[in-house]
Amino acid sequence: DGGITQSPKYLFRKEGQNVTLSCEQNLNHDAMYWYRQDPGQGLRLIYYSQIVNDFQKGDIAEGYSVSREKKESFPLTVTSAQKNPTAFYLCASSRTSGRVVEQFFGPGTRLTVL
Amino acid sequence: QQQVKQSPQSLIVQKGGISIINCAYENTAFDYFPWYQQFPGKGPALLIAIRPDVSEKKEGRFTISFNKSAKQFSLHIMDSQPGDSATYFCAASKNYGGSQGNLIFGKGTKLSVKP
């Protein structure tokens, strides 16, 4: 059963703690992405990786870090430097179909900072 | 130049009616325009997409209309059903050069279809 999995579904953290969100895909996609979703704000790109061992900052990378050691995995760490981390976090991966890059999303992780 | 503006923010339609959501963009380098459907607590799902070499694409009850000169595109949902109630996002990307395939999203439209 191919797809993108994110864990956990819900995550609670105390202020000042780092937390790591998991994203795994078995679609054999090269590129992976992390987005943050806030009510009324759409989806904003945090980091993306087009190939293993390489990643790039998106529009709102401050306070976040990532790694891409394996093609299947792209974990996101929300650090204590992120001022307002409570949000819905979405991971995506993409394939190239014809001349376009199609993105597919995981089910998301809701992070709440207490 | 990187923005995609989406309207309306929310939309209420009667069952069987037509739902219309509009998006506008500035960057003429964009060459791929997908629409995503998101149910509460779930990740967005790719619904339908269009490239600028066609003016319309239809898949079942969902149609994208594209106006290249006006830099606008819209989603039409025919015979809207209560099960279509969700948040819809338009997006745009350019599929060449640096940041290839990175999507720029509109802020979303919350659609409610009343029975």
Side-chain angles (χ1 to χ4, degrees):
Chain A
D1 189 21
I4 303 169
T5 56
Q6 291 186 242
S7 60
K9 187 173 176 63
Y10 299 97
L11 189 56
F12 298 89
R13 148 196 141 178
K14 293 182 180 179
E15 274 193 43
Q17 288 180 336
N18 292 356
V19 63
T20 297
L21 282 60
S22 169
C23 178
E24 304 277 331
Q25 56 98 2
N26 61 3
L27 300 168
N28 199 33
H29 290 171
D30 287 317
M32 297 185 74
Y33 311 79
W34 273 106
Y35 293 88
R36 172 184 171 134
Q37 186 175 24
D38 297 281
Q41 292 296 315
L43 282 74
R44 292 182 290 169
L45 183 64
I46 304 173
Y47 268 98
Y48 64 101
S49 167
Q50 295 190 339
I51 197 168
V52 174
N53 292 323
D54 186 54
F55 48 83
Q56 306 295 329
K57 292 181 179 180
D59 300 319
I60 56 165
E62 185 175 351
Y64 300 98
S65 65
V66 294
S67 63
R68 188 83 187 280
E69 297 176 1
K70 298 187 300 181
K71 187 175 184 177
E72 302 80 15
S73 178
F74 191 39
L76 173 74
T77 297
V78 184
T79 75
S80 56
Q82 168 51 231
K83 299 303 179 190
N84 186 20
T86 294
F88 190 47
Y89 290 87
L90 289 157
C91 177
S93 66
S94 69
R95 70 178 184 192
T96 299
S97 177
R99 292 178 292 166
V100 299
V101 177
E102 296 179 322
Q103 283 193 29
F104 300 91
F105 285 83
T109 291
R110 186 166 298 280
L111 172 64
T112 302
V113 175
L114 305 171
Chain B
Q1 264 235 324
Q2 284 291 93
Q3 282 187 326
V4 176
K5 295 183 179 179
Q6 183 172 349
S7 62
Q9 277 188 306
S10 63
L11 181 61
I12 299 175
V13 173
Q14 290 296 123
K15 179 182 175 182
I18 302 173
S19 304
I20 302 174
I21 305 171
N22 301 299
C23 285
Y25 63 98
E26 292 291 327
N27 190 345
T28 55
F30 289 146
D31 61 355
Y32 175 64
F33 303 89
W35 285 89
Y36 285 83
Q37 178 189 57
Q38 185 180 30
F39 293 105
K42 307 293 185 184
L46 180 61
L47 187 62
I48 187 173
I50 198 168
R51 296 204 68 215
D53 48 353
V54 297
S55 60
E56 185 174 282
K57 183 174 181 179
K58 183 176 181 179
E59 289 184 3
R61 296 185 293 109
F62 299 91
T63 299
I64 301 179
S65 297
F66 186 82
N67 186 330
K68 188 174 181 178
S69 61
K71 292 185 285 187
Q72 295 176 347
F73 58 109
S74 60
L75 176 69
H76 296 235
I77 306 174
M78 312 300 287
D79 187 25
S80 298
Q81 299 296 314
D84 296 330
S85 298
T87 299
Y88 292 81
F89 293 95
C90 63
S93 69
K94 61 180 177 71
N95 288 268
Y96 56 90
S99 68
Q100 176 187 14
N102 283 9
L103 289 169
I104 307 298
F105 283 88
K107 293 191 175 183
T109 296
K110 187 174 181 180
L111 171 65
S112 296
V113 181
K114 299 300 183 186

